[in-house]
Short mmCIF file of all heavy atoms in Angstrom, two decimals:
data_model
loop_
_atom_site.label_atom_id
_atom_site.label_comp_id
_atom_site.label_asym_id
_atom_site.label_seq_id
_atom_site.Cartn_x
_atom_site.Cartn_y
_atom_site.Cartn_z
N LEU A 712 -15.12 16.44 -1.59
CA LEU A 712 -13.83 16.50 -0.89
C LEU A 712 -13.81 15.51 0.26
O LEU A 712 -14.82 15.34 0.97
CB LEU A 712 -13.59 17.90 -0.33
CG LEU A 712 -13.12 18.96 -1.31
CD1 LEU A 712 -13.33 20.35 -0.72
CD2 LEU A 712 -11.66 18.75 -1.63
N TYR A 713 -12.67 14.87 0.46
CA TYR A 713 -12.45 13.95 1.57
C TYR A 713 -11.14 14.33 2.23
O TYR A 713 -10.15 14.61 1.55
CB TYR A 713 -12.35 12.50 1.06
CG TYR A 713 -13.57 12.02 0.31
CD1 TYR A 713 -13.67 12.19 -1.06
CD2 TYR A 713 -14.62 11.40 0.99
CE1 TYR A 713 -14.80 11.75 -1.75
CE2 TYR A 713 -15.74 10.95 0.31
CZ TYR A 713 -15.82 11.13 -1.06
OH TYR A 713 -16.93 10.69 -1.73
N ALA A 714 -11.12 14.35 3.57
CA ALA A 714 -9.91 14.68 4.31
C ALA A 714 -9.55 13.54 5.25
O ALA A 714 -10.43 12.84 5.78
CB ALA A 714 -10.11 15.97 5.10
N TYR A 715 -8.24 13.36 5.46
CA TYR A 715 -7.73 12.24 6.26
C TYR A 715 -6.56 12.68 7.12
O TYR A 715 -5.83 13.61 6.78
CB TYR A 715 -7.27 11.10 5.34
CG TYR A 715 -8.39 10.56 4.51
CD1 TYR A 715 -8.69 11.11 3.27
CD2 TYR A 715 -9.17 9.50 4.97
CE1 TYR A 715 -9.75 10.63 2.51
CE2 TYR A 715 -10.22 9.02 4.22
CZ TYR A 715 -10.51 9.58 3.00
OH TYR A 715 -11.56 9.11 2.26
N ARG A 716 -6.38 11.95 8.22
CA ARG A 716 -5.24 12.17 9.10
C ARG A 716 -4.66 10.83 9.52
O ARG A 716 -5.31 9.78 9.41
CB ARG A 716 -5.66 12.94 10.35
CG ARG A 716 -6.51 12.11 11.28
CD ARG A 716 -6.82 12.83 12.55
NE ARG A 716 -7.58 11.94 13.43
CZ ARG A 716 -7.93 12.24 14.62
NH1 ARG A 716 -7.62 13.42 15.14
NH2 ARG A 716 -8.61 11.38 15.36
N LEU A 717 -3.45 10.88 10.04
CA LEU A 717 -2.82 9.70 10.62
C LEU A 717 -3.53 9.39 11.93
O LEU A 717 -3.78 10.29 12.74
CB LEU A 717 -1.34 10.00 10.87
CG LEU A 717 -0.46 8.85 11.34
CD1 LEU A 717 -0.36 7.78 10.25
CD2 LEU A 717 0.92 9.36 11.68
N ALA A 718 -3.88 8.14 12.14
CA ALA A 718 -4.54 7.74 13.40
C ALA A 718 -3.58 8.00 14.56
O ALA A 718 -2.39 7.68 14.47
CB ALA A 718 -4.93 6.27 13.34
N PRO A 719 -4.06 8.57 15.65
CA PRO A 719 -3.18 8.81 16.80
C PRO A 719 -2.45 7.56 17.27
O PRO A 719 -1.29 7.64 17.69
CB PRO A 719 -4.14 9.34 17.88
CG PRO A 719 -5.25 9.98 17.10
CD PRO A 719 -5.41 9.11 15.87
N ALA A 720 -3.07 6.40 17.17
CA ALA A 720 -2.41 5.15 17.58
C ALA A 720 -1.22 4.80 16.70
O ALA A 720 -0.35 4.02 17.11
CB ALA A 720 -3.42 4.00 17.57
N ASP A 721 -1.15 5.36 15.47
CA ASP A 721 -0.05 5.07 14.55
C ASP A 721 1.13 6.03 14.69
O ASP A 721 2.18 5.81 14.09
CB ASP A 721 -0.54 5.10 13.10
CG ASP A 721 -1.24 3.82 12.70
OD1 ASP A 721 -0.98 2.77 13.33
OD2 ASP A 721 -2.03 3.86 11.74
N ILE A 722 0.98 7.07 15.47
CA ILE A 722 2.06 8.05 15.61
C ILE A 722 3.34 7.42 16.17
O ILE A 722 4.42 7.68 15.64
CB ILE A 722 1.60 9.29 16.41
CG1 ILE A 722 0.58 10.06 15.56
CG2 ILE A 722 2.78 10.18 16.80
CD1 ILE A 722 -0.07 11.23 16.25
N PRO A 723 3.29 6.53 17.18
CA PRO A 723 4.54 5.89 17.64
C PRO A 723 5.21 5.05 16.54
O PRO A 723 6.44 5.02 16.45
CB PRO A 723 4.08 5.00 18.80
CG PRO A 723 2.83 5.64 19.30
CD PRO A 723 2.16 6.20 18.08
N ARG A 724 4.43 4.40 15.71
CA ARG A 724 5.00 3.60 14.61
C ARG A 724 5.67 4.52 13.58
O ARG A 724 6.74 4.22 13.07
CB ARG A 724 3.90 2.75 13.96
CG ARG A 724 4.45 1.66 13.08
CD ARG A 724 3.44 0.56 12.80
NE ARG A 724 2.17 1.00 12.29
CZ ARG A 724 1.82 0.95 11.01
NH1 ARG A 724 2.65 0.47 10.11
NH2 ARG A 724 0.63 1.35 10.64
N LEU A 725 5.06 5.67 13.31
CA LEU A 725 5.68 6.65 12.41
C LEU A 725 6.98 7.16 13.03
O LEU A 725 7.99 7.28 12.34
CB LEU A 725 4.72 7.81 12.14
CG LEU A 725 5.33 8.96 11.32
CD1 LEU A 725 5.63 8.51 9.90
CD2 LEU A 725 4.41 10.16 11.33
N GLN A 726 6.97 7.42 14.33
CA GLN A 726 8.18 7.91 14.99
C GLN A 726 9.28 6.85 14.95
O GLN A 726 10.45 7.18 14.75
CB GLN A 726 7.89 8.33 16.43
CG GLN A 726 9.06 9.04 17.07
CD GLN A 726 9.53 10.25 16.28
OE1 GLN A 726 8.74 11.10 15.90
NE2 GLN A 726 10.83 10.33 16.01
N HIS A 727 8.93 5.58 15.12
CA HIS A 727 9.92 4.50 15.01
C HIS A 727 10.53 4.48 13.61
O HIS A 727 11.76 4.31 13.46
CB HIS A 727 9.27 3.15 15.34
CG HIS A 727 10.22 2.00 15.17
ND1 HIS A 727 11.25 1.76 16.04
CD2 HIS A 727 10.31 1.05 14.20
CE1 HIS A 727 11.94 0.70 15.62
NE2 HIS A 727 11.38 0.25 14.50
N PHE A 728 9.72 4.66 12.58
CA PHE A 728 10.22 4.72 11.20
C PHE A 728 11.21 5.88 11.06
O PHE A 728 12.29 5.72 10.51
CB PHE A 728 9.05 4.87 10.22
CG PHE A 728 9.49 4.97 8.78
CD1 PHE A 728 9.68 3.82 8.03
CD2 PHE A 728 9.74 6.20 8.19
CE1 PHE A 728 10.08 3.89 6.71
CE2 PHE A 728 10.15 6.28 6.87
CZ PHE A 728 10.32 5.11 6.12
N ARG A 729 10.84 7.03 11.59
CA ARG A 729 11.73 8.20 11.53
C ARG A 729 13.05 7.94 12.27
O ARG A 729 14.12 8.29 11.79
CB ARG A 729 11.04 9.42 12.15
CG ARG A 729 9.96 10.01 11.33
CD ARG A 729 9.35 11.15 12.11
NE ARG A 729 8.49 11.96 11.27
CZ ARG A 729 7.84 13.02 11.70
NH1 ARG A 729 7.93 13.39 12.97
NH2 ARG A 729 7.08 13.71 10.89
N ASP A 730 12.95 7.34 13.46
CA ASP A 730 14.15 7.04 14.24
C ASP A 730 15.07 6.09 13.49
O ASP A 730 16.30 6.26 13.48
CB ASP A 730 13.78 6.44 15.60
CG ASP A 730 13.07 7.44 16.51
OD1 ASP A 730 13.10 8.65 16.24
OD2 ASP A 730 12.45 6.97 17.49
N THR A 731 14.48 5.09 12.83
CA THR A 731 15.27 4.13 12.04
C THR A 731 15.97 4.84 10.89
O THR A 731 17.15 4.61 10.63
CB THR A 731 14.36 3.00 11.51
OG1 THR A 731 13.75 2.35 12.62
CG2 THR A 731 15.16 1.99 10.70
N LEU A 732 15.24 5.73 10.21
CA LEU A 732 15.84 6.48 9.11
C LEU A 732 16.97 7.38 9.60
O LEU A 732 18.04 7.42 9.00
CB LEU A 732 14.77 7.30 8.39
CG LEU A 732 15.24 8.12 7.19
CD1 LEU A 732 15.87 7.23 6.12
CD2 LEU A 732 14.08 8.92 6.60
N GLN A 733 16.74 8.07 10.72
CA GLN A 733 17.78 8.94 11.27
C GLN A 733 19.02 8.14 11.65
O GLN A 733 20.15 8.57 11.42
CB GLN A 733 17.25 9.70 12.49
CG GLN A 733 16.24 10.77 12.16
CD GLN A 733 16.80 11.88 11.29
OE1 GLN A 733 16.85 11.75 10.06
NE2 GLN A 733 17.22 12.96 11.90
N ALA A 734 18.83 6.96 12.24
CA ALA A 734 19.96 6.11 12.63
C ALA A 734 20.75 5.67 11.39
O ALA A 734 21.98 5.64 11.41
CB ALA A 734 19.47 4.89 13.41
N LYS A 735 20.06 5.34 10.32
CA LYS A 735 20.73 4.93 9.09
C LYS A 735 21.50 6.10 8.47
O LYS A 735 22.56 5.92 7.90
CB LYS A 735 19.73 4.34 8.09
CG LYS A 735 19.26 2.95 8.48
CD LYS A 735 18.37 2.37 7.41
CE LYS A 735 17.93 0.97 7.74
NZ LYS A 735 19.02 0.00 7.74
N LYS A 736 20.96 7.30 8.60
CA LYS A 736 21.66 8.48 8.09
C LYS A 736 22.92 8.76 8.89
O LYS A 736 23.91 9.24 8.36
CB LYS A 736 20.74 9.71 8.14
CG LYS A 736 19.67 9.72 7.08
CD LYS A 736 18.83 10.99 7.20
CE LYS A 736 17.79 11.06 6.10
NZ LYS A 736 16.98 12.28 6.21
N ALA A 737 22.88 8.46 10.20
CA ALA A 737 23.99 8.80 11.09
C ALA A 737 25.05 7.70 11.21
O ALA A 737 26.11 7.94 11.79
CB ALA A 737 23.44 9.12 12.48
N ASP A 738 24.82 6.51 10.67
CA ASP A 738 25.74 5.39 10.91
C ASP A 738 26.98 5.40 10.03
O ASP A 738 27.80 4.48 10.10
CB ASP A 738 25.00 4.06 10.82
CG ASP A 738 24.61 3.66 9.39
OD1 ASP A 738 24.96 4.38 8.43
OD2 ASP A 738 23.94 2.63 9.25
N GLY A 739 27.14 6.42 9.20
CA GLY A 739 28.34 6.52 8.38
C GLY A 739 28.26 5.81 7.04
O GLY A 739 29.13 5.95 6.20
N GLY A 740 27.21 5.04 6.83
CA GLY A 740 27.03 4.36 5.54
C GLY A 740 26.42 5.30 4.52
O GLY A 740 26.24 6.50 4.77
#
């Protein structure tokens, strides 16, 4: 068995991706 997590340094980049997706969902397109 091998287990993995997102590197703490990558969490802001993941949040930016989420924010971009949320903005695209909210822009009316």
